[in-house]
Amino acid sequence: MLAESGRSTSAARTRLELSDQTFEAAEALLLELGLIRPTTAGDTFVAVHPETALAQLLALEQQAIRERLTLNEELSETMAILGSNLLALQSRTESDAQLNLLIGEDSIAAALHGAAIKAQNEILSMHPGSPLPQRMLQESMERNQTALNRGVTMRAIHLNSMASLPHGRAHLAALKDAGCEVRLASVLPFRMILVDNALAYMSASPRDGQMTALEARGPDICQLLRGTFQHCWVHGTVPPDATAAPTGAVDTPGEVELDERETAVIKLLANGSKDDSIARALGISPRTLRRMTTSIMEKLDAESRFEAGVKAAALQLVDVPGAHQENVHNVR
């Protein structure tokens, strides 16, 4: 039709010897592509130059893309609003705390993975006890990165013992590089992850040799956990360099020099904490705690724990939490 001006589609069918079925399919395709268009009379078609048809196709496709992008943006905004309020709405509908015991590493990992996906605003975490194995830290970092990539803010508190292991220092560095705020503490009450102030996970006692965790929902319990975290955060220290090996000691008033863990032991002893809970909070064994206690008593020239506590109070080691924090280096 382009080569022979004025030739109709019917004439082209005869010239090309097309069957009715082939001709109808070709005519429909040419119309769809804009390569032919009806005449004003509506009983025949005229050919359109391919360059013109291509320009029309591009314009139509660009319009379709713009419409799809607009629809995607609207859907994304809607999903973001729903996601950011999902946990909060669920929490508000539950007047009482909802507790669920998770048993086994796989079950806990699946729940934490889901929490990282659900998080929209903030994740707070505390990590007492011995540093987790490198494999578990890597899995934790992958979950953290999922949330951080979506703009979720994240704050984490680790024990100072974390900085005593190469893979621990590497994990702290990775957290800081990813945008997570990190602080170190001598003592932490329990392991906890709090998501959007509506969903929490806390460590629990093992069962049948398996790891366990408590999953908690409800505004009251989550607010209490947030307050606990905030207290530990305020009294934590900002690691100057998460990749640096910890060195140094704490200079205390008088002529007594205690490192940070020894100062923490004194404070916990003064609060009436038992040996098992102190060892667990510091991430050390009871045997190590006994050795540290003996060393503390020798440094304070005390013959009993009670006397050590009295002398520590006189040296202002147990009266004001965090009073000597500005002198604390990462000691392990």
Side-chain angles (χ1 to χ4, degrees):
M1 291 173 69
L2 286 173
E4 301 177 17
S5 178
R7 183 179 290 274
S8 66
T9 53
S10 298
R13 175 178 57 178
T14 302
R15 169 74 177 272
L16 297 172
E17 299 180 351
L18 301 177
S19 66
D20 290 345
Q21 183 178 3
T22 302
F23 170 74
E24 291 173 1
E27 189 177 62
L29 180 59
L30 292 173
L31 275 170
E32 181 182 352
L33 296 176
L35 291 171
I36 60 175
R37 60 183 180 85
T39 60
T40 54
D43 57 350
T44 186
F45 300 93
V46 294
V48 178
H49 197 281
E51 290 182 359
T52 303
L54 178 59
Q56 292 175 345
L57 285 173
L58 290 175
L60 290 173
E61 188 62 28
Q62 288 172 348
Q63 178 61 30
I65 290 174
R66 284 193 293 269
E67 292 175 355
R68 287 196 294 270
L69 288 175
T70 300
L71 178 60
N72 286 339
E73 289 176 358
E74 294 174 352
L75 289 174
S76 295
E77 291 176 1
T78 302
M79 295 302 293
I81 293 172
L82 290 174
S84 64
N85 290 289
L86 180 61
L87 291 177
L89 289 172
Q90 185 178 20
S91 178
R92 281 196 287 268
T93 59
E94 299 168 347
S95 57
D96 298 326
Q98 304 289 319
L99 297 177
N100 180 37
L101 182 64
L102 304 175
I103 301 177
E105 182 180 337
D106 292 338
S107 177
I108 296 172
L112 294 178
H113 177 71
I117 294 175
K118 295 175 186 176
Q120 295 293 324
N121 301 309
E122 178 186 62
I123 296 178
L124 309 177
S125 61
M126 299 190 300
H127 306 273
S130 302
L132 294 174
Q134 187 170 2
R135 174 184 58 82
M136 297 183 70
L137 289 179
Q138 180 61 35
E139 294 174 355
S140 171
M141 191 63 225
E142 291 174 359
R143 292 193 297 267
N144 294 338
Q145 195 66 63
T146 299
L148 289 166
N149 289 343
R150 294 199 313 274
V152 176
T153 61
M154 187 174 294
R155 290 189 288 161
I157 313 175
H158 289 265
L159 283 180
N160 288 323
S161 57
M162 190 71 170
S164 66
L165 298 175
H167 75 271
R169 293 195 297 273
H171 183 68
L172 295 177
L175 286 173
K176 291 181 65 178
D177 291 342
C180 175
E181 294 186 67
V182 181
R183 290 197 179 180
L184 300 176
S186 302
V187 182
L188 290 171
F190 47 83
R191 191 178 301 275
M192 181 205 75
I193 297 175
L194 179 61
V195 181
D196 289 347
N197 206 34
L199 173 65
Y201 295 91
M202 296 163 287
S203 57
S205 300
R207 288 200 175 185
D208 300 326
Q210 295 192 81
M211 297 173 59
T212 62
L214 278 178
E215 181 183 69
R217 300 175 187 267
D220 294 333
I221 189 170
C222 288
Q223 192 60 35
L224 176 64
L225 293 173
R226 183 182 180 84
T228 303
F229 173 89
Q230 197 62 28
H231 175 82
C232 296
W233 181 263
V234 169
H235 291 84
T237 61
V238 179
D241 183 359
T243 61
T247 57
V250 179
D251 293 328
T252 59
E255 298 180 354
V256 177
E257 184 179 272
L258 300 179
D259 67 25
E260 188 179 4
R261 283 198 302 180
E262 290 173 333
T263 303
V265 169
I266 282 289
K267 291 179 180 179
L268 289 171
L269 287 173
N271 289 334
S273 299
K274 296 182 179 179
D275 285 3
D276 288 346
S277 63
I278 295 175
R280 187 166 56 252
L282 293 174
I284 59 178
S285 67
R287 181 177 180 180
T288 300
L289 175 62
R290 288 193 294 271
R291 186 168 61 250
M292 288 178 59
T293 303
T294 300
S295 174
I296 292 169
M297 291 171 59
E298 290 176 354
K299 290 183 178 181
L300 292 172
D301 193 22
E303 296 183 358
S304 67
R305 292 187 176 190
F306 177 78
E307 185 180 358
V310 172
K311 290 189 175 182
L315 292 171
Q316 300 179 351
L317 295 177
V318 296
D319 52 346
V320 182
H324 309 287
Q325 200 163 335
E326 66 274 11
N327 295 321
V328 176
H329 300 287
N330 300 329
V331 178
R332 279 292 153 192

